[in-house]
Amino acid sequence: MKDARLVAQDSSVHDLEEGTNEHEQLKRNMGARHINMIAIAGMIGTGLFLSSGKTIAKAGPVGALLAYILMGFITAGVSYTTGEITAFMPVTGGFVRHAAAFMEPALGAATGWNFWYTMAISVPAELSAAATLIQFWNTSVNPAVWITVFLVVIAALNFCGVRLYGESEVVFASMKIALIVGLILAGLVVDLGGGPDHNRIGFRYWRNPGAFNSYLADGNTGKFLAFWSSLISAAFSYGNIQVVALSGTETQNPRKIIPEATKKTFYRVFFFYVLSIFIVGLLVPYNLDKLQTSTGTAQQSPFVIAFQEAGIKALPSIINAVVTTSAISSGSACIFLASRTLYGLSSDGHAPKIFLQCNRWGTPFWAVALSLLPSPLVYLTVSNNASIVFGWFLNITTVAGLIGWIVIQVTYLKFFYALKKQGISREELPYKSPFQPYTAWITLLMVFLVIFFSGFDVFFPGNFSASSFLTCYLNIAIFAVLYIVFKFLLKSKVISMEDINFGPELESIREWKEAEAIEAEKSHVGMAKRIWNKVF
């Protein structure tokens, strides 16, 4: 019989994904600490710090709060479904390969390439944001210098092994958490009159100018349109919630660690986003001109504006520093996601086999190299306003990410009903996400509505803009073309529920559960540690 520790580390019968050389393969170097912090870092991007001010300006404090709450529930739904199916089949490439395995190869290929170029194109946007943030302190240095420095750092983190990437995300995530906790506490103090001017704000701005703003129409209709138009900004702020699922093969004991990370999503969504937006919505009126300013630096952050209004001068530089590292972290994460997606595509035969080659650190270096290829596009921003380019990238990549969320839900529903059709109980799974299949159906419907109506405002009289229309809907057409092309190239057919082979994974899960039971008997965790693990 295998040693219990070794069995517990085995994630599935086919997760030992080797490169073209038997000595070169992905290495299982990420533990629970890395995965939990990557899950947090993946959720918190520059959007929360920089874009949330415009959301408040457009929808008002309560409108923005409701938008973030609704998108938070949607994000949690995506995380739960991703966690369950990834715990069942933890492979590098995550939801892309799940789509190919449970739906059809063409859908997996189209989703993978769509997600790959979305992540690869996101890197210039993040580098552009980071370079603009640096100009908050020093405008004499050409932004191209900072862009080059950041690009080298991101490349080094991704070429030098997954452990280094994981450790860097632990540092970046710790800084983000410290900043958000500090901003929430400081904001509460200022709101209650503890600022330098001792001005108690309370809910003053919810009464005047009001809790809701109107958009494109008057009355309740305008308030609803303002709320709905804020959902796409909220979606961008939540970042890449599926980041954990793409590193299945590089995670130690993924069937235990990945579900533990996804189960905590709801608490993190509430604390980091909903509470942050609630506090900042108390501190600034939505009609403040500064909220509409697009500088690309911490000056446009609603947190900075709020504290400047209260007479606190030191915080802008602190916030700007952390947001700069946040942009670098997001750029690094995008390369990691893109390269592992490309690796997964190659494993399934939907990309050249060269992308399976790994260096001695277990990094698929050709996949990383191709993913870095679009990054020099950021130099085009040097002669233009980087914040405008950042906004353009933001719109396109957000919609593409939401399409990925739809694929995740559709794949999960096929997985759920196929298990039911074959008489397999979900009790056999390593992790059962809550309230299924209703969670998946509701999440699918909401994401579809957000995508379909993401550009509704361009259809209002006098509001049409070709560029706005394309940024909202171009990616839908690109995804459809990719699917049709792969449908013909792969001669792909939808896999029937009866033909899905769950056997190998179920056998691997049974071995894993036996090993986990043996390990549980050997180790005892104290009450304080169990409470900490449950919440954080």
Side-chain angles (χ1 to χ4, degrees), residues 220-281:
N220 291 332
T221 302
K223 291 176 182 178
F224 175 78
L225 293 178
F227 154 75
W228 191 264
S229 67
S230 300
L231 288 176
I232 200 79
S233 298
F236 177 77
S237 295
Y238 280 112
N240 299 305
I241 191 68
Q242 66 272 45
V243 59
V244 173
L246 274 90
S247 58
T249 309
E250 294 166 286
T251 305
Q252 299 167 5
N253 201 358
R255 289 200 163 109
K256 179 181 180 181
I257 291 175
I258 290 176
E260 285 179 351
T262 57
K263 281 187 285 189
K264 298 163 189 168
T265 301
F266 181 79
Y267 308 107
R268 291 166 176 162
V269 164
F270 176 79
F271 185 79
F272 292 129
Y273 282 91
V274 176
L275 203 53
S276 296
I277 296 299
F278 170 72
I279 293 294
V280 80

Side-chain angles (χ1 to χ4, degrees), residues 147-168:
I147 288 169
T148 304
V149 171
F150 298 148
L151 192 52
V152 169
V153 170
I154 288 173
L157 289 174
N158 279 276
F159 274 119
C160 293
V162 71
R163 187 172 185 84
L164 180 61
Y165 168 77
E167 294 295 349
S168 70

Side-chain angles (χ1 to χ4, degrees), residues 203-226:
F203 289 88
R204 179 192 309 167
Y205 298 129
W206 286 29
R207 293 188 294 271
N208 182 31
F212 293 91
N213 195 8
S214 296
Y215 181 58
L216 297 175
D218 297 324
N220 291 332
T221 302
K223 291 176 182 178
F224 175 78
L225 293 178

Side-chain angles (χ1 to χ4, degrees), residues 106-184:
L107 183 64
T111 304
W113 281 106
N114 185 60
F115 188 71
W116 175 82
Y117 81 71
T118 300
M119 291 296 98
I121 285 177
S122 295
V123 179
E126 296 295 349
L127 287 169
S128 171
T132 310
L133 286 160
I134 288 290
Q135 290 181 304
F136 175 79
W137 294 296
N138 189 334
T139 57
S140 62
V141 179
N142 192 309
V145 175
W146 298 114
I147 288 169
T148 304
V149 171
F150 298 148
L151 192 52
V152 169
V153 170
I154 288 173
L157 289 174
N158 279 276
F159 274 119
C160 293
V162 71
R163 187 172 185 84
L164 180 61
Y165 168 77
E167 294 295 349
S168 70
E169 288 300 289
V170 168
V171 174
F172 290 140
S174 300
M175 293 172 68
K176 293 178 188 179
I177 293 168
L179 176 62
I180 291 177
V181 171
L183 291 176
I184 290 171

Side-chain angles (χ1 to χ4, degrees), residues 274-294:
V274 176
L275 203 53
S276 296
I277 296 299
F278 170 72
I279 293 294
V280 80
L282 294 174
L283 299 176
V284 289
Y286 71 74
N287 59 355
L288 194 69
D289 290 337
K290 290 181 181 179
L291 286 178
Q292 296 284 8
T293 304
S294 182

